[in-house]
Amino acid sequence: MALDLFSPVKLGAISLKNRIVMAPLTRNRAGEGGVPQALNASYYAQRASAGLIISEATPISAMAHGYPALPGIYTDAQVAGWKNVTDAVHAKGGKIVLQLWHVGRISHPSLLPNGALPVAPSAIKPAGQAFTYQGLQDYVTPRALDISELPSLVADYVHATKSALTAGFDGVEIHAANGYLLDQFLRDGSNKRTDNYGGSFENRARLLLEVTQAVVNTAGADKVGIRISPVNPFNDMHDSNPQALFNYVADALNQFKLAYLHVVEGGIHGGGKADPFDFVALRKHYQHAYVANLAYDKDRGNAAIASGHADAIAYGVPFIANPDLVERFKLDAPLNEADSSSFYGGAEKGYTDYPFLNA
Ligand code: PHB
């Protein structure tokens, strides 16, 4: 029988009961000090029938924040809060990995310690505005990281990975997508460095590969995934040759034998038109498990798995509105509509109050 969304699969060390993955979704509902609350545990536990949950993007340090009310993964209180989340998901038979996030230039001094400037590969201000506690404010020109600061940045990823494992996560996903710090290093619209971290593909991928090696050394490669978004223009991103760059990145990542590579196959948030890109060609460069994301429905997901393009499919917005998305796909039941006005911030409304089938 052909494989489909309901076939079990192993991504590295992580056994999934189906191939329907919950994509990472920023919801801005953490408590004081970036500590996950009981409400957050309920939200994730409601979605534990997914084969795998990828947590919302989670700052690895105080300097990694770029939006209000994000949960962190660097203090003891945050670890304790996340432990309640992973326990609740595991109690329902689910699996959950934590997404390790540094936003780089997509931040604002008002969100950072002592009003610090955001950091980035190069001092290039992104177009657009930051979501701050005081409302929308223009992005500022970030400070270019000095090469001497990169080892401590890598150490922050290691500390966050240890914290995630202590908090009971089944693994971690390195966020290298969507215009945040590691993606800012990869793409040449945001990286104009003239040292060993800028210029050639090899140089622009160097920080990602160093972070990956360090995280792999901490968690084991079979518990580590990476998310990339080769042509997502969101956050004022572009690259002069994305196909060649990301084919190179996929080739370079093969050496680690990671749990999976997770690919955003287009542009998000209507943030402009994505450049043309051949994701089938990218997939041929990558030799291990591949998780595909973006605007898949059930039929396209099944087709991508049957053809061997993807090993699993990550669904974002459908999981916001349908805690029982797996059962709805199984029964071909209608899906709840997502209410975009409650995506970011708030409490139960639009978070834990979407109805289950027959509820
Ligand atoms: C967002 O908050 O809109 C957001 C966060 C992380 C992403 C993408 C979008 O990777």
Side-chain angles (χ1 to χ4, degrees):
M1 223 187 76
L3 295 173
D4 66 14
L5 285 168
F6 305 100
S7 312
V9 67
K10 251 186 125 182
L11 301 180
I14 311 166
S15 295
L16 280 61
K17 59 198 169 200
N18 60 59
R19 297 170 186 239
I20 302 169
V21 172
M22 179 173 162
L25 294 159
T26 292
R27 306 304 308 274
N28 310 81
R29 285 165 167 89
E32 203 54 38
V35 177
Q37 306 293 297
L39 178 66
N40 308 123
S42 302
Y43 161 77
Y44 282 110
Q46 284 182 339
R47 288 156 179 78
S49 57
L52 176 67
I53 295 171
I54 303 167
S55 82
E56 62 205 277
T58 300
I60 60 167
S61 69
M63 275 302 291
H65 281 260
Y67 301 87
L70 299 174
I73 187 69
Y74 52 91
T75 72
D76 290 347
Q78 292 164 356
V79 169
W82 277 121
K83 184 74 169 57
N84 295 330
V85 173
T86 64
D87 283 348
V89 169
H90 290 152
K92 291 226 171 147
K95 297 281 165 75
I96 182 167
V97 298
L98 177 121
Q99 199 194 43
L100 299 166
W101 196 22
H102 193 309
V103 298
R105 67 182 185 170
I106 302 301
S107 188
H108 188 271
S110 68
L111 294 164
L112 297 175
N114 306 315
L117 276 181
V119 295
S122 301
I124 302 170
K125 179 166 90 131
Q129 294 187 305
F131 293 85
T132 74
Y133 289 101
Q134 294 80 37
L136 286 171
Q137 301 192 62
D138 288 350
Y139 288 120
V140 299
T141 302
R143 179 175 73 75
L145 282 161
D146 190 81
I147 196 164
S148 65
E149 296 177 275
L150 299 181
S152 72
L153 182 68
V154 174
D156 287 341
Y157 279 91
V158 169
H159 175 69
T161 301
K162 287 182 182 155
S163 301
L165 296 174
T166 303
F169 283 95
D170 297 289
V172 294
E173 176 176 290
I174 298 168
H175 190 339
N178 299 341
Y180 299 105
L181 184 67
L182 295 172
D183 195 25
Q184 290 160 26
F185 271 85
L186 288 173
R187 293 197 254 176
D188 62 11
S190 45
N191 183 345
K192 307 288 184 196
R193 297 178 75 95
T194 53
D195 61 10
N196 283 346
Y197 292 83
S200 64
F201 295 159
E202 186 184 1
N203 282 355
R204 282 187 271 139
R206 189 178 308 281
L207 182 63
L208 173 62
L209 299 181
E210 288 177 353
V211 166
T212 303
Q213 184 67 65
V215 170
V216 160
N217 291 348
T218 307
D222 56 3
K223 291 186 173 179
V224 178
I226 293 194
R227 192 173 204 226
I228 58 173
S229 61
V231 285
N232 184 6
F234 176 60
N235 284 329
D236 200 17
M237 293 298 288
H238 59 95
D239 187 83
S240 57
N241 192 356
Q243 189 82 50
L245 168 63
F246 284 91
N247 288 350
Y248 172 88
V249 168
D251 286 336
L253 290 175
N254 280 325
Q255 63 180 299
F256 297 107
K257 302 186 172 61
L258 300 172
Y260 63 86
L261 178 66
H262 180 183
V263 182
V264 183
E265 295 179 334
I268 67 166
H269 285 325
K273 199 169 149 14
D275 286 332
F277 191 92
D278 184 344
F279 289 97
V280 173
L282 176 77
R283 204 278 169 263
K284 294 209 171 90
H285 281 262
Y286 193 64
Q287 293 163 1
H288 308 285
Y290 182 102
V291 178
N293 172 241
L294 208 65
Y296 278 87
D297 59 14
K298 175 183 167 180
D299 289 344
R300 287 188 53 234
N302 275 329
I305 288 169
S307 74
H309 175 65
D311 297 279
I313 308 294
Y315 293 91
V317 172
F319 258 116
I320 290 180
N322 299 276
D324 52 355
L325 184 66
V326 172
E327 193 185 354
R328 287 174 192 257
F329 275 175
K330 190 145 230 170
L331 301 176
D332 279 321
L335 301 185
N336 299 322
E337 278 296 322
D339 163 29
S340 61
S341 73
S342 51
F343 282 177
Y344 304 109
E348 288 87 352
K349 186 179 168 313
Y351 191 54
T352 49
D353 66 351
Y354 283 105
F356 286 72
L357 279 175
N358 308 318

